[in-house]
Amino acid sequence: MGPENLSRRELLVRSGAAAAALTVAGADVAQAEPEADADGVVLREGTNLSAALSPDGRWIAVDLVTGIWVLPAAGGRARRLTDDLQDATLPSWSPDGRRIVFQSYRDGNFHLYVIDHAGGVPRELTSGRFDHREPVFSPDGTKIAFSSDRDGSYGIHLLDVASGAITTVASTADEEASPRWSPDGTKLVFTVNDTAIDVVTLATGTRTRLITATGADKLYGPAFGPGGQPSYLRLRGAEADLMLGDQQLTKGEDVFGFPANWSGSVVLYTADGHIRRRELSGAVQDVPFEARVSTAARDYRRRVRDLDSAAPKPVRGIAGPVVSRDGRWIAFRALNAIYVVAAGGGRPQRLVGDGYFNSDPDFHPDGTKLLYTSDRLGTADLWLHDLGTGQDTVLTQQAGAQVAPRWSPDGGRVAYADQDGATWIHDVAAATAQQVTPPLFMPGRPTWSPDGSVIALAAVKPYSRRYREGTSQILTVDLKTHELRYAEPMPFRSLATRGDDGPLWSPDGRYLAFTVESVAWIAPVDGTGRLIGAPRQVTHEVTDSLAWQGHDTLVYLSKGQLRAQRITGGAPRTIRLDFTWARPRPPRRTVIHVGAAWDGIARTLRRDVDIVVDGGRIADVRPHRDAPGTVDAHDLTAMPGLVDIHNHWHLRGRQWGDRQGRLWLAYGITTTRSPGDPAYQMLETREALESGNRVGPRYFGTGEAVDGSRIYYNFMRPTLSPEQLDLELARAVELEYDMIKTYVRLPVAYQQAVVRAAHRAGIPLSSHYLYPAANLGMDAMEHTGATNRLGYSHTVSRIGRSYQDAVALFVRSGMSITPTLFTSRALYADDKSLVTDERTEVLFPPWEYALLKTTADTAGNPENAYLRQVLAGNVDMVLRIHRAGGFVVTGTDSPLDNVAVSTHQNLRAMVAFGFTPYEALTTATRNPARWLGLEDRIGVLKPGAYADLSLVGGNPLQDIKAAANVRSVLVGGVLRTVGELLAPYRNRPTARAAATEVAPAARSAEKQHWWHVPEWSEHVCCAG
């Protein structure tokens, strides 16, 4: 067997590279900067840089690409004070001009540091698990004002420089931030919820409202200006203006949202990528600067999964395993079906596999039935499978989705979630359903107390309104008292994911089991689920998807195997499965006659050609010749199937069900890549698609994104130690991730360690950061400027503009950028054809279609006019990167944007604001193929490439809308018409059981916490 026939895992094991790829704990994660390019990149503009003028007016401190720099006040070359690992921003001078205080994310939380103006080692002033931000020295130098979430929301605090003591100035349920001192040191001005500006007199504590935002305005960066008036940024739609009281000082500038520096009637601020001086008289002058930074080469052997072998492979995509009450059987989802296997292992038996999305099985307590979710009647309903007769009957048929169900201990009720994240209880005998929680942001699967009086589930609890991240905690719902109660499994720790990682009640009611920091724990609880003792670690290997087997054993997944571990100790055992999958034989030789073809390379169409497909690949593209059996598409144009390189199949995967894969194909998207999904859901979908058991495009993906101590989405992995990084990387290599994603709260040192380890394993990486990621060897950045631990981006401003620093770094580093143009929805004001298309109407779940239609119908409203300006700025950024030789790839972040239709909406937006259709299409064909390591195999029509193509009406090189005018699509030579893809949902069965009666919602379903919102209602970018 040659190396080309070995899997990545086999290559790593045989070469000894696996051990190296999995180990970061043995080395200091805070290492020196990598070897860099000799010349580096000269930055002359900065996106969202802040600037602080020294008290004597001689120097300016700036934060540029997360470093603190100093330059002469007249301009010139900047000198860097902090390194990449410091991750430093927002400098402020001491009154004597000798020191600079700043915020740093070095250790995984924001803390205050101080450094000498001349340089040296920064000194840490604060520590702990809360964030401390936005420091500024008092005029006498004895105190530092800052903001922090240490009181449950952001408030204003003072640090005594001499003693380190912290006192509180303003701390309410509001989010108070960005403090600045009055010149005499007696007052502090600050923002409140970004919608108001207050001032507090320190001696008396008197607080006064100075400015209140009107409409949807946002206010940032307050400071005291002339006459004690507040200066600040007013963000109004796509206008970002510097204000002084009610006076607008700028017009048409992109002012960044940081406190301005006033010297009499002269103000120094940052805007349009520059440090700028402005006199109240109107005279304006930019302060020139240049700063040199390095980028690291990415020199590693990229390994791509075997996509061709027909040899049987072990099934590793085992999703949602559950154990029967008697401990004898295990059920799970795999290969797009539901299976059951003896608890001791063996050959699994397929119970439900009809091509629809059947998921989340759960055994009835008496062992006679299996409960599961299926969309065979059009949307996700609850179904029962009789284990004796094999008969399937529908249990619930509500208007929305019913997913992630669990039986009550007595078998009389079922707890489940709906499409908005609300938890419901279905009474089987009465055929009634009652909502028992408000909509929650991506909650976990519920679990019952043994007496059926309490439900527990995983739910996120943010630290503040200001920033969305928090911890995944245990939420209990008392069905008698209607109380909702949150509990941290361990202080400042988060449940691993909000999916199948717990909490899970033991059958005897003594424990809740859950996964924290990638291993399983149990905690003693009382009958209400209240923790009554310290958690105890049960497993020591990477652990996912917990299930109880009896009272004393946990069954779980570890690196693609089912394992069992007694909670009293001992070695874990493997539950061996005789279970394989294989790729189907490619279809026989086919010749497709098309009127025209775009090969993905040329800038013009080739007319009247035959595309010869054999063995799943393109054998030839030749002039047309008459031959029997030829598929007649003489009125259509063949083009490479599109690639959407950023989407999350399982963000709402249970709710979309089988519709999702069909929709991608119906719009000519033949390859997708997920930069974040629940690991075993991802793996199950990948194996289901590649085995031919599920209809859809090629699917490349990763598991949960590796994040820091705080998380937001349900599929982020909070990672707190090098040892845990080892576990995460072990899972990634063993399960053959196609990439690794690091998320927004992972410290730079950890990100650096993951990059090095992943590249040793041949795995590419992506994140939400450009720098220092470009100097760590990161392969890609997602979004133009997405969710960021700073709360703003260093690649795109608040109104969507980007400057020389970002463009130059993308081009020089070779990192790819995925635009994910969310604001492309603004174009629905001009053209709703994608919304009214039958493919969209039929294949969108009803509630998703209603949301899309509302978005499209309101796109032209006056309050949305700014979206088009932001969109233009976003496209301008990626167009400059593209035309300078940078690496732009199309992705959408679906389903946060709309599955499949947003791919085309993104391409149309690119063309509307400067790309040619050819340029736009290369970002969705050849470019993503190169990123995936599949250059010349997808994204092109040429001999030897996979037969992944779509047949469309029109010329997509002249009219980008033609790319969406799909009539048929091929993946690996398998031809499907749009009609075939729509048929299961266009012709849904009409025979449905009587609808479930909905009872009045319980009191516990009332909104009790501000973060109780459904996932779809949070229009924030981005998932991953």
Side-chain angles (χ1 to χ4, degrees):
M1 181 181 290
E4 68 276 7
N5 295 318
L6 293 175
S7 71
R8 177 164 65 207
R9 175 175 173 267
E10 291 168 327
L11 280 167
L12 290 169
V13 170
R14 295 185 186 194
S15 66
L22 301 181
T23 304
V24 300
D28 182 4
V29 295
Q31 301 176 46
E33 294 181 14
E35 203 172 297
D37 292 344
D39 298 328
V41 181
V42 177
L43 309 181
R44 296 185 175 90
E45 294 179 353
T47 305
N48 269 342
L49 81 162
S50 71
L53 184 67
S54 65
D56 61 9
R58 296 175 55 199
W59 302 95
I60 299 173
V62 297
D63 59 358
L64 189 66
V65 290
T66 62
I68 304 300
W69 306 66
V70 174
L71 69 148
R77 179 168 294 179
R79 174 172 53 90
R80 190 170 184 174
L81 300 184
T82 61
D83 64 13
D84 284 350
L85 300 182
Q86 196 69 50
D87 200 0
T89 43
L90 301 185
S92 172
W93 293 86
S94 63
D96 60 9
R98 295 173 55 188
R99 294 167 295 164
I100 297 172
V101 67
F102 58 90
Q103 66 179 27
S104 167
Y105 194 73
R106 188 179 189 103
D107 71 351
N109 281 93
F110 280 100
H111 289 300
L112 312 185
Y113 282 74
V114 68
I115 192 170
D116 290 343
H117 166 223
V121 178
R123 180 167 61 90
E124 188 174 11
L125 302 179
T126 62
S127 62
R129 293 294 185 179
F130 293 108
D131 282 345
H132 301 79
R133 303 182 187 237
E134 302 163 328
V136 58
F137 270 107
S138 61
D140 63 6
T142 64
K143 293 181 174 58
I144 295 172
F146 64 94
S147 66
S148 175
D149 58 9
R150 56 193 291 127
D151 290 340
S153 63
Y154 266 84
I156 308 301
H157 307 270
L158 295 180
L159 173 73
D160 185 88
V161 175
S163 68
I166 293 175
T167 56
T168 300
V169 173
S171 182
T172 67
D174 290 319
E175 302 293 320
E176 294 116 344
S178 191
R180 271 301 187 267
W181 294 88
S182 62
D184 61 5
T186 63
K187 298 177 181 179
L188 283 170
V189 66
F190 50 89
T191 59
V192 182
N193 300 327
D194 295 334
T195 58
I197 295 174
D198 283 5
V199 64
V200 63
T201 302
L202 297 176
T204 64
T206 304
R207 182 167 166 174
T208 305
R209 178 66 41 94
L210 300 180
I211 302 290
T212 300
T214 59
D217 291 355
K218 295 289 186 180
L219 311 177
Y220 301 98
F224 284 98
Q229 295 184 84
S231 72
Y232 55 96
L233 167 73
R234 183 188 66 192
L235 184 65
R236 175 172 290 174
E239 298 175 357
D241 291 307
L242 180 64
M243 304 289 294
L244 180 63
D246 294 330
Q247 181 184 0
Q248 181 178 329
L249 301 183
T250 64
K251 185 173 179 60
E253 295 182 29
D254 181 9
V255 178
F256 303 151
F258 309 107
N261 303 257
W262 287 91
S263 299
S265 62
V266 178
V267 62
L268 183 140
Y269 62 104
T270 55
D272 297 335
H274 299 289
I275 305 167
R276 185 161 288 169
R277 280 195 181 88
R278 172 181 291 271
E279 297 183 9
L280 286 179
S281 62
V284 177
Q285 178 185 18
D286 286 342
V287 178
F289 68 88
E290 64 176 49
R292 188 177 297 273
V293 296
S294 57
T295 60
R298 296 185 305 283
D299 184 16
Y300 67 98
R301 181 185 175 190
R302 171 72 182 275
R303 291 177 172 88
V304 179
R305 273 188 307 110
D306 171 20
L307 302 178
D308 298 301
S309 172
K313 303 174 186 293
V315 172
R316 293 173 176 267
I318 298 168
V322 293
V323 182
S324 61
R325 182 64 62 91
D326 61 11
R328 297 175 55 200
W329 301 96
I330 300 173
F332 53 85
R333 171 181 169 82
L335 301 178
N336 200 35
I338 292 176
Y339 287 81
V340 66
V341 68
R347 182 181 294 275
Q349 174 190 355
R350 188 172 74 169
L351 298 183
V352 183
D354 55 8
Y356 289 95
F357 189 81
N358 306 295
S359 67
D360 298 309
D362 194 42
F363 287 98
H364 191 278
D366 67 10
T368 63
K369 295 182 285 293
L370 199 68
L371 172 72
Y372 64 99
T373 293
S374 176
D375 66 348
R376 66 172 59 93
L377 293 182
T379 57
D381 302 312
L382 300 185
W383 286 73
L384 297 177
H385 179 85
D386 189 298
L387 293 170
T389 67
Q391 183 178 357
D392 294 281
T393 56
V394 66
L395 179 65
T396 65
Q397 292 182 259
Q398 291 182 248
Q402 298 105 66
V403 298
R406 293 275 194 197
W407 284 109
S408 64
D410 63 3
R413 293 169 294 167
V414 175
Y416 64 90
D418 69 8
Q419 72 278 3
D420 294 335
T423 301
W424 292 69
I425 292 177
H426 175 83
D427 187 297
V428 177
T432 60
Q434 182 182 45
Q435 183 180 344
V436 296
T437 76
L440 302 172
F441 187 82
M442 296 183 175
R445 193 174 180 180
T447 184
W448 292 82
S449 64
D451 67 358
S453 66
V454 178
I455 289 174
L457 63 155
V460 70
K461 184 179 181 183
Y463 278 81
S464 71
R465 288 176 184 263
R466 190 179 183 203
Y467 301 104
R468 67 188 194 177
E469 291 81 17
T471 55
S472 291
Q473 300 188 8
I474 298 170
L475 176 65
T476 54
V477 186
D478 192 309
L479 301 178
K480 295 179 180 178
T481 67
H482 307 288
E483 177 190 13
L484 295 180
R485 186 178 67 242
Y486 281 84
E488 288 181 300
M490 289 171 260
F492 299 103
R493 294 294 191 269
S494 184
L495 299 174
T497 68
R498 300 194 302 278
D500 295 319
D501 288 334
L504 193 65
W505 229 302
S506 63
D508 61 8
R510 296 177 60 194
Y511 301 105
L512 282 175
F514 46 79
T515 303
V516 169
E517 295 182 38
S518 305
V519 294
W521 302 72
I522 58 172
V525 294
D526 64 16
T528 67
R530 192 181 301 273
L531 303 179
I532 57 175
R536 174 164 57 86
Q537 187 173 342
V538 175
T539 65
H540 297 271
E541 59 185 349
V542 62
T543 302
D544 297 293
S545 300
L546 301 177
W548 282 98
Q549 185 179 32
H551 304 305
D552 64 353
T553 300
L554 287 177
V555 171
Y556 56 94
L557 290 166
S558 183
K559 293 184 284 189
Q561 292 185 320
L562 274 172
R563 303 271 277 175
Q565 172 70 62
R566 294 178 67 88
I567 64 174
T568 53
R573 62 180 173 87
T574 299
I575 302 171
R576 301 191 183 279
L577 303 181
D578 180 11
F579 199 21
T580 60
W581 68 274
R583 290 184 177 86
R585 184 181 299 276
R588 61 181 176 82
R589 178 182 172 92
T590 305
V591 179
I592 305 171
H593 171 215
V594 295
W598 177 55
D599 64 5
I601 302 169
R603 294 178 179 269
T604 57
L605 301 181
R606 186 176 171 183
R607 301 289 177 177
D608 198 25
V609 298
D610 289 341
I611 300 173
V612 182
V613 177
D614 196 6
R617 292 180 181 256
I618 296 174
D620 197 8
V621 181
R622 69 191 187 196
H624 172 57
R625 65 183 74 156
D626 290 329
T630 299
V631 176
D632 182 12
H634 73 277
D635 57 342
L636 299 177
T637 300
M639 61 177 288
L642 299 178
V643 181
D644 188 307
I645 207 164
H646 187 128
N647 47 77
H648 303 275
W649 273 62
H650 295 284
L651 193 70
R652 300 178 197 152
R654 292 173 170 90
Q655 295 90 330
W656 273 87
D658 187 52
R659 296 167 178 266
Q660 184 169 186
R662 294 173 177 275
L663 185 62
W664 288 116
L665 292 183
Y667 275 103
I669 296 139
T670 56
T671 299
T672 62
R673 187 206 69 176
S674 168
D677 264 324
Y680 288 91
Q681 300 285 341
M682 177 276 292
L683 196 58
E684 189 277 334
T685 296
R686 198 171 71 183
E687 291 177 351
L689 289 165
E690 293 186 12
S691 66
N693 288 298
R694 188 170 182 186
V695 175
R698 298 184 190 272
Y699 174 51
F700 298 85
T702 185
E704 297 86 0
V706 182
D707 209 348
S709 60
R710 300 183 181 188
I711 51 87
Y712 181 59
Y713 286 97
N714 61 341
F715 53 86
M716 303 305 174
R717 286 278 176 184
T719 308
L720 283 77
S721 69
E723 291 76 17
Q724 189 188 353
L725 280 180
D726 285 352
L727 296 178
E728 294 301 316
L729 290 164
R731 184 198 293 108
V733 171
E734 190 71 33
L735 300 184
E736 295 191 273
Y737 285 9
D738 298 302
M739 63 172 291
I740 289 176
K741 176 72 177 292
T742 61
Y743 208 54
V744 299
R745 293 279 301 200
L746 193 71
V748 174
Y750 280 30
Q751 187 178 30
Q752 181 185 59
V754 174
V755 169
R756 289 174 171 167
H759 282 177
R760 286 197 298 270
I763 307 174
L765 304 98
S766 185
S767 76
H768 278 200
Y769 297 105
L770 171 58
Y771 208 89
N775 204 28
L776 304 179
M778 186 67 73
D779 298 274
M781 176 180 151
E782 306 301 315
H783 320 289
T784 55
T787 308
N788 188 300
R789 54 181 166 258
L790 289 169
Y792 57 91
S793 171
H794 273 152
T795 52
V796 65
S797 73
R798 286 182 168 90
I799 61 172
R801 301 179 190 175
S802 187
Y803 297 94
Q804 179 265 345
D805 58 334
V807 173
L809 283 167
F810 272 116
V811 173
R812 180 55 184 268
S813 70
M815 288 174 62
S816 69
I817 179 172
T818 314
T820 63
L821 300 171
F822 284 84
T823 48
S824 64
R825 65 183 185 271
L827 301 187
Y828 286 132
D830 307 318
D831 179 11
K832 297 182 178 64
S833 59
L834 290 172
V835 180
T836 58
D837 192 288
E838 183 192 17
R839 292 167 291 179
T840 307
E841 292 181 325
V842 170
L843 290 178
F844 267 55
W847 54 89
E848 294 278 359
Y849 185 74
L851 289 170
L852 171 60
K853 192 171 186 306
T854 298
T855 297
D857 290 344
T858 59
N861 290 1
E863 62 268 23
N864 291 330
Y866 75 94
L867 291 177
R868 188 179 291 266
Q869 298 176 55
V870 174
L871 178 61
N874 290 158
V875 174
D876 175 70
M877 172 192 183
V878 292
L879 181 61
R880 284 184 289 149
I881 293 170
H882 172 77
R883 290 188 175 169
F887 193 4
V888 181
V889 289
T890 288
T892 56
D893 215 3
S894 302
L896 290 180
D897 210 339
N898 296 289
V899 173
V901 296
S902 63
T903 310
H904 289 284
Q905 197 73 353
N906 273 230
L907 294 174
R908 295 177 184 188
M910 294 168 79
V911 172
F913 293 103
F915 279 77
T916 66
Y918 174 84
E919 289 175 314
L921 287 170
T922 60
T923 72
T925 51
R926 290 206 321 273
N927 284 8
R930 175 159 65 96
W931 201 100
L932 292 166
L934 296 173
E935 198 167 14
D936 291 329
R937 286 201 273 172
I938 64 172
V940 292
L941 304 185
K942 60 187 296 187
Y946 291 121
D948 296 0
L949 58 128
S950 64
L951 305 177
V952 304
N955 182 349
L957 297 182
Q958 291 182 352
D959 180 4
I960 193 63
K961 293 181 180 180
N965 195 15
V966 178
R967 297 292 183 267
S968 298
V969 64
L970 288 85
V971 179
V974 177
L975 175 66
R976 289 185 172 91
T977 67
V978 167
E980 291 170 352
L981 293 168
L982 269 59
Y985 294 95
R986 177 194 279 159
N987 303 315
R988 291 197 300 270
T990 56
R992 295 172 63 94
T996 304
E997 181 182 345
V998 177
R1003 292 200 312 274
S1004 53
E1006 298 173 359
K1007 185 174 180 180
Q1008 301 178 33
H1009 304 85
W1010 57 263
W1011 59 88
H1012 281 178
V1013 293
E1015 177 268 325
W1016 57 262
S1017 73
E1018 288 290 275
H1019 294 295
V1020 290
C1021 181
C1022 299

